[in-house]
Amino acid sequence: MNKIGILHYSAPPIIGGVESVIGHHARLFSAAGHPVRILAGRGTPDMPAVEYAEIPLLDSRHPDVLKIKAGLDRGSVPPGFSDLIRKIKEQLLEHLQWCDILTAHNVCSLNKNLALTAALMEIAAQRTGPKLVVWHHDLAWTSARYRDELHEGYPWSLLKTAWPGVSRRVVVSQLRRRELASLVGLEESEIQVIPNGIEVGEFLKLGEEALQIIRSLDILQAAPLLLQPVRITRRKNLELSLRSLAFLKQDFPAARLLVTGPLGAHNPANLEYFGELTALRSQLGLEGSVHFMVEESPKTLPDETIADLYRVADGLLLTSQEEGFGIPILEAGLAGLPVFCTDIPSLRELAGETAYSFSPGEDPRKVAKLISTRLKSDGVTLMRQKVRQSYTWEGIFREHLRPLLQSLQ
């Protein structure tokens, strides 16, 4: 496994967008088995299995760095600039001997610590250190807020130069790719886009049991995810759900259905019914698309886990033939989910005109069309699916970070 160094001015728990990103990168690289060392001037990250090397002169707020920066901002190179470069270079080299790969975040494109920028450029030009990946979140030369601090010539020119000795150039968006290519005179194809991500479980405050379900079933790849929090009994009419999902997948190939309840407790015939449902699932080719939680765990899911699943779902589906009440309708209302349910008295009483309703004996093609039409027109749902599929940190690692490391072998 490659030993990976991650370089920035500061590290978690310092609050900042880049600090958050390098924290997630460190966690993901480490979880994949890579030894990781964060190199920063400030911060004390508390991350199991991740080393931290504090090098004070890397900090953009170090007094010596700020003193030099004041002169640079006025357009002059202070006498102590070369000495500061030498000190930073010496301290960096001590740690870079350990690294196989170094990812340097923003230090090659911002003027927060130009002595660090110059030291790293000199190391890269020597081509004797680790493979260098320069990671551009921001570009000083394309931003109006830095314009008064930038001047022609060295060292400011380092921020708009395609350095020698760089293994990969990474930006966080297509916008940054276009800007960087124009700034340093490269083809866009020479620059890789790796977006930032979001930690779904952390953001949504999901419990461990829900997270285990999400991981084991790869639920975040569903688009859409329909939730059916009911027991498995005939009156729930689950065969309509399965048949409707089969047609829905014609418009949404990644559609999934999650049935959270156990078998009904008071009728032995429910076991036979469940066998019919699993046979129908197989017949319809839905083995990877319809998930019965009774198959995943012998125990009934607690209310807090069900609530967590509402937070990642895209819609509530209820196909019951008869109900005395309909608590899931209320839960979906609080969770902000669209409700697709049968037009029976109890559910009509609760949902009224707010639900997308259909007969318990409806043609599953029409149920699928009802769901498809609603979800295709809802920007909130489509954005939720986009985030789940393309912008979770686990997805970022799988689709971008791991291939990047493999390309550096």
Side-chain angles (χ1 to χ4, degrees), residues 119-138:
L120 186 61
M121 188 278 294
E122 291 179 10
I123 292 170
Q126 292 170 357
R127 302 176 189 269
T128 57
K131 294 175 181 177
L132 177 60
V133 180
V134 292
W135 216 288
H136 303 282
H137 302 258
D138 304 287

Side-chain angles (χ1 to χ4, degrees), residues 290-305:
V290 174
H291 307 290
F292 295 105
M293 286 312 304
V294 69
E295 293 178 313
E296 306 297 324
S297 173
K299 64 177 184 177
T300 302
L301 295 181
D303 289 345
E304 55 267 27
T305 300

Side-chain angles (χ1 to χ4, degrees), residues 190-207:
E190 298 177 81
I191 302 167
Q192 185 172 351
V193 177
I194 299 182
N196 297 331
I198 188 168
E199 177 55 51
V200 174
E202 183 179 289
F203 183 80
L204 295 179
K205 303 295 187 291
L206 302 180

Side-chain angles (χ1 to χ4, degrees), residues 195-199 383 386-393 395-396:
N196 297 331
I198 188 168
E199 177 55 51
M383 186 64 196
K386 182 178 181 180
V387 172
R388 285 203 314 255
Q389 289 191 311
S390 302
Y391 292 98
T392 66
W393 275 119
I396 298 295

Side-chain angles (χ1 to χ4, degrees), residues 193-252:
V193 177
I194 299 182
N196 297 331
I198 188 168
E199 177 55 51
V200 174
E202 183 179 289
F203 183 80
L204 295 179
K205 303 295 187 291
L206 302 180
E208 187 55 39
E209 186 166 16
L211 288 173
Q212 289 177 0
I213 294 169
I214 288 167
R215 294 187 194 110
S216 65
L217 300 178
D218 201 18
I219 285 296
L220 297 183
Q221 292 304 301
L225 173 63
L226 298 176
L227 186 65
Q228 195 152 4
V230 300
R231 290 181 177 272
I232 298 171
T233 64
R234 283 195 187 277
R235 68 183 177 88
K236 301 298 183 181
N237 198 20
L238 289 165
E239 56 271 28
L240 177 57
S241 298
L242 271 63
R243 294 185 188 280
S244 298
L245 187 75
F247 286 108
L248 182 64
K249 286 177 71 67
Q250 294 177 6
D251 284 342
F252 292 92

